[in-house]
Amino acid sequence: MHVNEVSKTEFKAKALEILRQVESSGDPIVITDKGRPAIEVRRYRADQRSPLDRLRGSVVELSQPFDPVGEDEWETLV
């Protein structure tokens, strides 16, 4: 997939046109700041999965989940 790039200045001048292009083509646009990629604009795609399905597989390791937590292991805001 080819990724188009536009500068912040060009995006500011043609924002509506660029957003319509992204919406119709589905191709993302990268907005650059001083020649470096800064922001990617892409079409929104709703995730139809349930929250539990989206989280499934996200826990990589769960070691000793029932061990007590010591007083000095808690982080607190003062």
Side-chain angles (χ1 to χ4, degrees):
M1 170 175 29
H2 178 66
V3 178
N4 296 320
E5 291 186 355
V6 296
S7 67
K8 281 185 177 180
T9 305
E10 185 179 355
F11 181 78
K12 182 178 177 183
K14 300 178 180 181
L16 188 56
E17 178 184 337
I18 292 170
L19 293 175
R20 285 183 177 150
Q21 176 186 350
V22 170
E23 185 178 17
S24 65
S25 71
D27 294 335
I29 298 287
V30 175
I31 302 170
T32 60
D33 184 21
K34 299 176 185 162
R36 294 184 317 220
I39 299 169
E40 180 182 37
V41 178
R42 56 190 165 102
R43 186 181 352 179
Y44 174 76
R45 288 190 172 88
D47 193 346
Q48 300 296 327
R49 298 178 296 169
S50 74
L52 290 177
D53 286 338
R54 282 184 264 165
L55 290 172
R56 186 165 284 119
S58 64
V59 176
V60 178
E61 180 180 347
L62 184 60
S63 59
Q64 304 169 343
F66 299 107
D67 285 356
V69 178
E71 290 285 327
D72 57 336
E73 295 178 12
W74 287 96
E75 293 181 16
T76 60
L77 297 176
V78 179

